[in-house]
Amino acid sequence: MTTPRNARQRIEQGGVAFVGAGPGDPGLLTLRAVEALGEADVVVLDETVHHRMLEHAPDLVEVVDVSVDDTGVALTAAARGRRVVQAAKSGRRVVRLLEGDPFSHVTGADEALACVKAGIPFEVVAGVATGTAVPMHAGVPLVAGRRRTSQLFDVNGKIDVQSCTADTLVFTGVDEQLGDLVQSIIDADRVPSTPVAVVTRGSTVEQQTIVSTLDQVVSTVKVAKLEGPYVVIVGDAIDNRDALSWFETKPLFGWRVLVPRTKEQAASLSTALRRSGAVPEEVPTISVEPPRNPQQIDKAVRGMVEGRYEWIAFTSYNALRAVKEKLVGYGLDARALSGLKVAAVGEKTAQALRDWGIEPDLVPSGEQSAVGLLADWPPYDEVLDPINRVFLPRADIATETLAAGLIDMGWEVDDVTAYRTVRAAPPPAKTRESIKTGKFDAVLFTSSSTVRNLVGIAGKPHANTVIACIGPATAKTAEEHGLRVDVMAPEPSVELLAVALAEFGAARRLALLEAGEPLFKPSQRRRASARRKNAQ
């Protein structure tokens, strides 16, 4: 039988890691869980929410779904165990993602026993238990004040409701049996007016919580059209929710935010939005591609290596990436820039240089733009500057502001197209309809090209949608397309843009509370207004 002492060594050679995936938020994965995913050849899962956790796995990892068989029938624990064992054959490293904690999961232990029977080595990576994490995210303490006892149950097993005597009860895996469960709790002498909280998609930015009482909760959930499975919390501890609700009161909680960026650049912005409770939806509007004629960039990069330039100026992360890829293609690294003075616009570009081992010599002290860079750029001095030439790699559609300004200061500039931005294909019809009809709460524009391209491929966002722009130039383009700009980042940074939108959301929420208005999201404003008008 597998022992803790040698489990890790054997897993590295092949075997199964039963990993607690927590209640749904990838941020709740343990460090060992992330490490195991990074080593995986195969990931076995049965929850759609776990697909977001695959970002920690290798790009070519094999994914096996053990939720249902070929006819759509849910697999038994034994059938799941057989599939896990099969995936681990030939010494492959398998990660089995299980909701919550592996040995609290309804089939976790059975699947591990199947590995024991087959002689497959395994380890167990503890996870954040659903029964404790979801109440916490709903603002409901399991113990508080004089209420010192709690009991956790999974309804997939047999429950003796008469034994449910604790102050606070938590039931996981509840779905169609909600009505029967509630009635059995009442029959076990719980007061019908006892508070009940029903939570779905707990710990994720799609979390919804309904608070009711035992005798009313079934109809309340039905009216709210809340879809299972649910975590059901019963007890007076729910009275603390108004004071302790920290998750659902985030400034952008539940906001559906459109992120029109390239696939490579959307990740950091989406992560920042999720921290504020938003639900980002990434829609590619541009694709970054090599220049049609690569000879110019090839010549410039060779000249840079040969010492032809005094300065190189990176005005975007994509420009840096284009030059870096050329150098790697030649078998070179960051040392090829030794002896060059390096300028960078934007903190992301500067940080990417630092990550590559290069500390930029010049970053604008003020506005992070070509204008800001020019304001700090030193004029050419024939005594101090042995070479008077600047290498400026940029996009094919970039303005010539920087090149013209440098020439005016006495520099010679090789203004080189390092990459092209190409308009992406239109998004699905459902997404286009959501954009036009105001089902998105906000749209974040990170460049003028994202404005032009989104309007070109999907249409103009609805008037109720909050428009956020990364800087003045982008805001101007948005206004030229008839859009009202509500939010602008203090500096051209995607992280600061997300922060600015969160501050806008927090101010809006406070204003609604002070006015005694319901906490409608921007996408709900039009429908709410229509309902009030019809009521009159």
Side-chain angles (χ1 to χ4, degrees), residues 45-324:
L45 46 74
D46 60 353
E47 294 278 346
T48 55
V49 68
H50 292 165
H51 279 275
R52 278 187 55 207
M53 300 176 187
L54 294 177
E55 65 186 32
H56 298 296
D59 291 339
L60 299 178
V61 71
E62 180 183 344
V63 179
V64 177
D65 190 325
V66 295
S67 54
V68 295
D69 62 18
D70 295 338
T71 64
V73 178
L75 289 176
T76 63
R80 293 181 179 195
R82 287 192 295 271
R83 292 200 177 185
V84 170
V85 168
Q86 182 63 38
K89 292 292 178 66
S90 304
R92 295 195 298 176
R93 290 169 298 202
V94 176
V95 168
R96 171 64 169 111
L97 287 175
L98 293 158
E99 180 187 356
D101 189 73
F103 282 1
S104 298
H105 190 277
V106 66
T107 66
D110 292 325
E111 294 178 36
L113 288 169
C115 289
V116 173
K117 185 176 180 180
I120 302 293
F122 73 93
E123 70 168 312
V124 182
V125 181
V128 178
T130 300
T132 55
V134 172
M136 179 188 69
H137 280 76
V140 179
L142 297 187
V143 292
R146 295 181 179 179
R147 307 178 188 93
R148 309 302 297 174
T149 60
S150 60
Q151 290 175 288
L152 279 63
F153 304 89
D154 190 306
V155 299
N156 290 296
K158 188 174 181 180
I159 300 174
D160 178 9
V161 181
Q162 295 295 331
S163 69
C164 302
T165 57
D167 297 317
T168 306
L169 309 177
V170 180
F171 301 89
T172 61
V174 181
D175 210 326
E176 292 88 355
Q177 66 273 65
L178 176 62
D180 293 338
L181 175 65
V182 168
Q183 188 58 53
S184 65
I185 295 172
I186 294 175
D187 293 343
D189 295 330
R190 287 272 174 166
V191 178
S193 60
T194 300
V196 180
V198 179
V199 189
T200 184
R201 301 188 71 81
S203 83
T204 73
V205 289
E206 291 90 1
Q207 175 176 307
Q208 289 181 272
T209 304
I210 297 295
V211 174
S212 185
T213 56
L214 280 173
D215 56 348
Q216 298 291 327
V217 66
V218 174
S219 59
T220 303
V221 167
K222 186 176 182 179
V223 169
K225 298 180 179 180
L226 202 66
E227 297 181 357
Y230 316 114
V231 172
V232 178
I233 311 164
V234 180
D236 292 337
I238 294 168
D239 294 339
N240 292 283
R241 174 172 155 79
D242 287 344
L244 299 180
S245 181
W246 63 275
F247 186 57
E248 293 174 47
T249 54
K250 288 188 173 185
L252 301 177
F253 189 83
W255 280 38
R256 187 182 177 196
V257 180
L258 182 68
V259 182
R261 286 176 66 77
T262 63
K263 182 179 180 181
E264 296 81 2
Q265 296 173 320
S268 61
L269 183 53
S270 293
T271 299
L273 289 169
R274 289 192 185 97
R275 283 197 292 266
S276 296
V279 184
E281 185 169 328
E282 298 167 7
V283 176
T285 57
I286 57 175
S287 175
V288 176
E289 298 182 4
R292 288 191 176 90
N293 184 357
Q295 292 180 352
Q296 188 183 25
I297 182 70
D298 287 338
K299 181 180 178 181
V301 169
R302 287 196 302 269
M304 179 185 70
V305 174
E306 294 166 358
R308 186 182 180 196
Y309 300 104
E310 180 77 7
W311 282 89
I312 181 170
F314 296 109
T315 57
S316 70
Y317 170 79
N318 284 323
L320 171 59
R321 187 176 66 173
V323 171
K324 185 177 179 181

